[in-house]
Amino acid sequence: MNSVAVIGASLAGLYAARALRAQGFEGRLVIVGDERHRPYDRPPLSKDFLTGSAGQDQLALADAEEIAGLDAEWLLGTRAVGLDTAAGSVLLDGDRTLSTDGVVVATGAAPRHLAGPAPGGAHTLRTLDDAWALRADLVRGPVRVVVIGAGFIGAEVAASCAALGHDVTVVEAAPLPLLPQLGDEMARICSALHADHGVTLLTGTGVARLHDGGGTERRVTAVELSDGRLLPAEVVVTGIGVRPNTDWLAGSGLPLDDGVRCDAGCVTPLPNVVAVGDVARVAGTRTEHWTGATEQAAVAARNLLAGSTVATHQALPYFWSDQYGVRIQFAGRRGPADTPRLVEGSPDDRSFLACYERDGRPTAVLALNRPRPFMRHRRELARATQPATT
């Protein structure tokens, strides 16, 4: 293989490029990114960057020395619009074509939007430019903020806005935030963090539409809920999930089903095309977290260079979130009937560790502000859930 194109210049794409070089690939390496920025870390966008305690220079995932060491061609501010697998080329905007022997699909995901036009003051948060725009609206002085969606991004944005002194209301359509991930008992404990810090949480209701004040600026003035209530707001942040960026692959022949379908080694039915990160549906599962993207990259690079699946990604699912000064960490595969058991600490103190169990066997572990014991339990859980070898 003489050339590889990495389509996506964020976390997964950078780690794939690193892995290709680390595993001995010396050919032409081209990294295509639709943003104008070099790879940066997204998690701080909803936390330290939004509050102003971290600057843009602190988000970089690679310094100038490492960028030079990759010996890659960077096509930033460039969007992939198609993949011609028969011709072995990636179609780029501006009627350009990039010929390549191998492709790493790392185009990530885009935030879902509310139906209808978005007035001024209405935001989503996915990119650095999104974060700059939201930050600009938050530094004008105390405002009323409505966050739509109480998942990780929504909760982190709410916490940051509260820390900045804004009046914050969070709207969640589900009965409880994080209910699918944590189950009822632990979701209730985590959702109480909002009330602890003066943030209003409204659950079990959706959003009908956004109201604006008319005129030339047409800035948001209120959020109308599906039950008819009207929430005054000067800033609205929507965090209702994402959809994988696969539109550019339509007609390529690759199987698309809530992401790019690939095997446990991140390999698509075309062995010279692999997928990593938020866009990849690996062995039937698509994950949207930092750790999965970094771990998949090394496996995908190895298989791409081998021309077949010689390694698989079998890591234990893991995610974390920082909210209101509390680090929430979760690892494992919780089933609907699994029972959480308190191991140490106290939920009342918002500092504890709990293990989920099924028939007396651990399936997952959750911790609030217990990082060291959590890592120990995570390692033990990973060993316990490893498939048997013969």
Side-chain angles (χ1 to χ4, degrees):
M1 187 169 289
N2 296 315
S3 61
V4 173
V6 177
I7 312 302
S10 191
L11 177 75
L14 174 64
Y15 270 72
R18 284 174 172 170
L20 286 165
R21 289 304 193 208
Q23 294 177 28
F25 176 66
E26 298 180 350
R28 183 190 184 201
L29 179 60
V30 183
I31 303 174
V32 179
D34 59 356
E35 294 184 62
R36 55 191 174 87
H37 310 289
R38 291 201 187 275
Y40 59 87
D41 205 15
R42 294 188 193 276
L45 295 182
S46 57
K47 299 184 282 288
D48 292 345
F49 182 81
L50 197 58
T51 61
S53 58
Q56 181 172 336
D57 58 334
Q58 295 170 270
L59 303 179
L61 287 169
D63 59 22
E65 183 178 358
E66 182 180 7
I67 293 295
L70 282 175
D71 189 24
E73 302 172 38
W74 293 82
L75 301 181
L76 299 177
T78 299
R79 189 166 56 91
V81 297
L83 177 63
D84 188 338
T85 54
S89 60
V90 179
L91 310 180
L92 307 176
D93 56 5
D95 293 324
R96 291 172 290 173
T97 300
L98 173 62
S99 297
T100 184
D101 299 325
V103 175
V104 179
V105 179
T107 42
R112 297 185 183 277
H113 295 267
L114 298 173
H123 301 267
T124 56
L125 180 57
R126 181 71 179 180
T127 68
L128 178 56
D129 291 343
D130 291 340
W132 273 119
L134 176 56
R135 201 160 98 165
D137 269 351
L138 294 175
V139 299
R140 299 182 179 188
V143 293
R144 291 169 294 187
V145 180
V146 173
V147 178
I148 303 170
F152 298 120
I153 293 296
E156 290 170 0
V157 168
S160 295
C161 290
L164 291 169
H166 301 296
D167 181 292
V168 184
T169 299
V170 179
V171 179
E172 170 58 48
L176 283 171
L178 305 178
L179 188 58
Q181 294 88 351
L182 305 181
D184 185 88
E185 181 181 352
M186 293 299 154
R188 288 185 187 280
I189 294 170
C190 290
S191 66
L193 292 171
H194 296 291
D196 289 350
H197 294 82
V199 171
T200 300
L201 173 63
L202 304 177
T203 60
T205 184
V207 171
R209 65 190 182 102
L210 304 183
H211 291 247
D212 64 63
T216 56
E217 287 193 5
R218 301 192 70 87
R219 290 193 63 84
V220 67
T221 58
V223 176
E224 182 180 337
L225 303 182
S226 54
D227 59 15
R229 283 179 288 177
L230 208 62
L231 305 178
E234 288 80 42
V235 174
V236 173
V237 185
T238 301
I240 54 174
V242 299
R243 58 176 186 83
N245 287 321
T246 57
D247 290 351
W248 69 283
L249 293 170
S252 66
L254 290 177
L256 306 177
D257 176 19
D258 186 36
V260 179
R261 285 208 323 252
C262 44
D263 66 15
C266 305
V267 180
T268 73
L270 299 174
N272 66 329
V273 180
V274 297
V276 293
D278 291 359
V279 75
R281 191 170 183 81
V282 181
T285 301
R286 191 172 65 83
T287 59
E288 298 172 5
H289 218 277
W290 201 95
T291 307
T294 60
E295 292 175 342
Q296 289 169 3
V299 173
R302 181 179 174 188
N303 292 332
L304 181 64
L305 296 178
S308 64
T309 303
V310 297
T312 58
H313 177 251
Q314 298 177 334
L316 192 71
Y318 166 62
F319 64 77
W320 79 91
S321 178
D322 294 314
Q323 304 172 18
Y324 305 104
V326 175
R327 168 149 287 200
I328 301 171
Q329 294 172 284
F330 181 92
R333 297 178 175 87
R334 185 195 72 86
D338 294 356
T339 303
R341 176 177 59 86
L342 188 65
V343 176
E344 62 175 70
S346 169
D348 293 338
D349 298 332
R350 308 302 189 240
S351 177
F352 68 91
L353 184 140
C355 285
Y356 293 83
E357 296 177 341
R358 185 188 313 152
D359 299 327
R361 296 175 60 86
T363 59
V365 57
L366 167 70
L368 270 63
N369 277 349
R370 297 270 168 156
R372 289 187 178 179
F374 172 83
M375 295 307 294
R376 183 177 71 253
H377 280 266
R378 179 189 172 193
R379 289 192 297 268
E380 292 173 355
L381 184 63
R383 286 194 295 266
T385 56
Q386 281 291 333
T389 57
T390 58

